[in-house]
Amino acid sequence: GSQTNNNPPVITNQNFSIAENSANGTSIGTVLASDPDAGQTLSYSIIAGNTSNAFAINSVSGNLTVNNSNALNYENITTFGLTVRVQDNGQGNLFSQATVTVNLTNVNENPVINNQAFTIAENSANGSSVGTVVASDPDAGQTLTYSITAGNTSNAFAINSSTGAITVNNTAALNYESITSFGLTVRAQDNGTGNLFSQATVTVNLTNVNENPVINNQA
């Protein structure tokens, strides 16, 4: 007699790789499966391991795509182990499962720096501390370099390239009667691929200090 027993689909463990932060809809690859029975249609689903719904699978083609770009953060998770089920449309709708591993690759991301403000008394001596610029980098283990790229009238201030500490560089420029505020453009640059940077406005407000009257000898 003819063979009528339905056999389960065949799927093996497989691996894919994709860059972190990849956009929603980005194709990762197509899960491979087969069925020993001729003429059957397979349907695919992810049944476990899909943290934060990071991925979607096309039930007809088995194509894996990005579903939640925010979940693909290499600094939080480097690999996903998806349990993928493939089911046939024969008698009993038999299925098999395998682990589909999606490895994230690290991508250099820009430093993070926000606008911030400091206050210092006019006429403060050279070397006086103004404050330390706060910045960070999403990538682990990177070193940031700081520089003032604009707004530093009369070279009033200097910044420590390693620490971000701002100090007075030209006390004569800190004259409240001439200028009350400086808007420094500060750049923070990383040492990862491409040396990415971000900039923000660091405002330094002068406070007024009472100064002695001026009187000269006269006759």
Side-chain angles (χ1 to χ4, degrees):
S2 60
Q3 175 76 18
T4 56
N5 289 344
N6 186 22
N7 298 292
V10 176
I11 183 173
T12 57
N13 294 345
Q14 42 208 285
N15 290 276
F16 298 98
S17 182
I18 191 170
E20 66 167 329
N21 311 324
S22 291
N24 289 349
T26 303
S27 178
I28 298 155
T30 299
V31 174
L32 297 179
S34 60
D35 197 288
D37 306 298
Q40 289 202 7
T41 301
L42 299 179
S43 57
Y44 299 85
S45 57
I46 303 171
I47 61 167
N50 195 13
T51 307
S52 303
N53 288 312
F55 305 104
I57 195 165
N58 184 301
S59 62
V60 177
S61 69
N63 184 41
L64 263 182
T65 54
V66 175
N67 182 65
N68 179 7
S69 178
N70 293 332
L72 306 191
N73 183 348
Y74 185 88
E75 285 67 41
N76 290 341
I77 186 169
T78 59
T79 185
F80 293 80
L82 307 176
T83 303
V84 172
R85 174 177 292 184
V86 56
Q87 184 168 302
D88 69 25
N89 63 337
Q91 185 175 0
N93 293 119
L94 302 180
F95 66 85
S96 299
Q97 296 177 176
T99 299
V100 174
T101 302
V102 180
N103 295 304
L104 296 186
T105 56
N106 196 12
V107 173
N108 189 21
E109 298 163 86
N110 285 50
V112 177
I113 183 172
N114 295 315
N115 294 345
Q116 43 207 286
F118 301 104
T119 300
I120 191 169
E122 65 168 331
N123 312 324
S124 292
N126 287 350
S128 299
S129 174
V130 177
T132 299
V133 173
V134 176
S136 61
D137 197 287
D139 305 294
Q142 289 201 6
T143 301
L144 296 179
T145 302
Y146 299 88
S147 56
I148 302 172
T149 62
N152 195 14
T153 307
S154 304
N155 288 311
F157 304 103
I159 194 165
N160 183 306
S161 62
S162 301
T163 65
I166 294 179
T167 52
V168 175
N169 183 64
N170 178 9
T171 182
L174 305 191
N175 182 351
Y176 186 89
E177 285 66 42
S178 299
I179 186 170
T180 59
S181 179
F182 294 78
L184 307 178
T185 302
V186 173
R187 173 178 294 189
Q189 181 167 304
D190 71 24
N191 63 337
T193 304
N195 294 120
L196 303 179
F197 66 84
S198 299
Q199 297 185 156
T201 299
V202 175
T203 303
V204 181
N205 295 305
L206 297 187
T207 56
N208 196 12
V209 173
N210 189 23
E211 298 163 84
N212 287 359
V214 176
I215 182 170
N216 296 315
N217 294 345
Q218 43 204 283

